[in-house]
Amino acid sequence: MAAPLRALLRPAAAASAATALPRARLLPPLRAPRGSRGCSAGAAFQYLLVQKTGTLKNVGLIQLNRPQALNALCDGLMAELGQALEAMERDPRVGAIVLTGSQKAFAAGADIKEMQSKTFQECYSGGFLAGWDKVSVVRKPIIAAVNGYALGGGCELAMMCDIIYAGEKAQFGQPEILLGTIPGAGGTQRLTRAVGKSLAMEMVLTGDQISAKEAKEAGLVSKVYPVEKLLDAAIACAEKIANNSKLVTAMAKESVNAAFETTLTEGNRTEKRLFYATFATSDRKEGMTAFVEKRKAKFTDS
């Protein structure tokens, strides 16, 4: 197993990796619907395809687009991802975000070629991988739609998102141990919180992968779909979220995240504080009034 995993983790570093696996079959190119507007005017990305989608064009859709390297997460790709997410944070029409890759790979890992020659001093002084945290601090909900390989940094990237939907052929893993290192972008922490100590320890110490079905059973992903239906399902979920109050949605996300980052007592305090805060919003008043009047709520807060 070690050889195939190494090939997946360093597709940009070795020509053999490109021939060891079937050529990646990409999702259909993401094209902005007629009349839609991009999230940042004039933005051009080398490693991403970005658009707004959904019936109301209130879902931001980002596709990792580095097919020759199975979407290996190089510095340039992660910098562009941060820029795209910042643009969607600023866009008042976007209420939720979907992050996806190709049908062959969500992301096969970090770019090993970029890391190979780094020293301890460079990593420590430069805060290597610190910029990846941008994904985890976006206030708008992010759904990861994972097809194919989500290994190493790819698995960590998916876990930074708020919801993970998986295609039935998806594979998740943290195989850094096979390269003489350990996860460095939250893999040991988020994986343990998601699936428990025993399975997380097994995956991290052996480098073994788990299937979409196993990931669902362990609690790492919330739903599994046929490959060709995955993206539509993720967008449909994002539309449901985006149709709610954007302000209250951000509060709900903050409260759920507190369950992972604080004690139960502190988490409950956070929940109460945010619950009380909703009573200062016009959307809370509109939502309850609409319920009493038996009509659909019209939220306006952003």
Side-chain angles (χ1 to χ4, degrees), residues 216-260:
K216 171 70 167 60
E217 292 171 350
L220 181 60
V221 308
S222 39
K223 292 182 180 177
V224 177
Y225 291 92
V227 171
E228 65 278 4
K229 295 183 179 180
L230 171 66
L231 187 55
D232 286 341
I235 292 172
C237 178
E239 284 190 278
K240 287 183 181 180
I241 294 170
N243 289 334
N244 294 322
S245 165
K246 296 179 180 63
L247 178 60
V248 177
T249 294
M251 291 178 176
K253 174 174 173 173
E254 180 182 346
S255 188
V256 173
N257 281 335
F260 286 85

Side-chain angles (χ1 to χ4, degrees), residues 24-89:
R25 184 162 67 91
L26 294 176
L27 296 170
L30 300 179
R31 299 183 184 275
R34 187 175 299 175
S36 67
R37 299 173 57 190
C39 289
S40 53
F45 296 107
Q46 180 179 356
Y47 301 114
L48 305 176
L49 297 173
V50 180
Q51 71 172 74
K52 287 192 286 191
T53 190
T55 304
L56 300 178
K57 304 296 182 288
N58 57 359
V59 173
L61 179 57
I62 302 174
Q63 181 181 12
L64 307 182
N65 187 37
R66 199 184 176 206
Q68 75 281 7
L70 294 178
N71 292 332
L73 304 174
C74 62
D75 289 341
L77 186 154
M78 294 306 296
E80 288 186 358
L81 181 57
Q83 293 167 13
L85 290 171
E86 286 176 3
M88 289 180 179
E89 279 271 70

Side-chain angles (χ1 to χ4, degrees), residues 133-285:
D133 291 341
K134 173 62 182 176
V135 181
S136 65
V137 298
V138 171
R139 300 183 73 181
K140 294 180 180 179
I142 306 176
I143 301 172
V146 177
N147 266 320
Y149 299 106
L151 305 178
C155 186
E156 291 172 311
L157 178 61
M159 291 190 293
M160 290 179 194
C161 299
D162 302 299
I163 299 170
I164 303 177
Y165 279 8
E168 55 193 5
K169 295 182 180 179
Q171 294 285 320
F172 297 85
Q174 297 289 163
E176 289 87 349
I177 197 77
L178 303 176
L179 300 179
T181 187
I182 68 171
T188 61
Q189 304 304 300
R190 291 189 176 93
L191 186 64
T192 304
R193 286 165 169 75
V195 306
K197 177 183 176 182
S198 182
L199 180 56
M201 194 72 80
E202 180 183 12
M203 292 173 66
V204 170
L205 297 186
T206 66
D208 287 349
Q209 302 171 28
I210 60 173
S211 67
K213 181 176 181 293
E214 291 170 319
K216 171 70 167 60
E217 292 171 350
L220 181 60
V221 308
S222 39
K223 292 182 180 177
V224 177
Y225 291 92
V227 171
E228 65 278 4
K229 295 183 179 180
L230 171 66
L231 187 55
D232 286 341
I235 292 172
C237 178
E239 284 190 278
K240 287 183 181 180
I241 294 170
N243 289 334
N244 294 322
S245 165
K246 296 179 180 63
L247 178 60
V248 177
T249 294
M251 291 178 176
K253 174 174 173 173
E254 180 182 346
S255 188
V256 173
N257 281 335
F260 286 85
E261 299 164 1
T262 64
T263 64
L264 177 60
T265 299
E266 184 57 35
N268 279 329
R269 288 197 191 102
T270 298
E271 181 185 80
K272 282 290 190 297
R273 173 177 57 82
L274 291 168
F275 169 67
Y276 296 154
T278 66
F279 282 75
T281 70
S282 60
D283 278 349
R284 192 280 315 167
K285 183 177 181 180

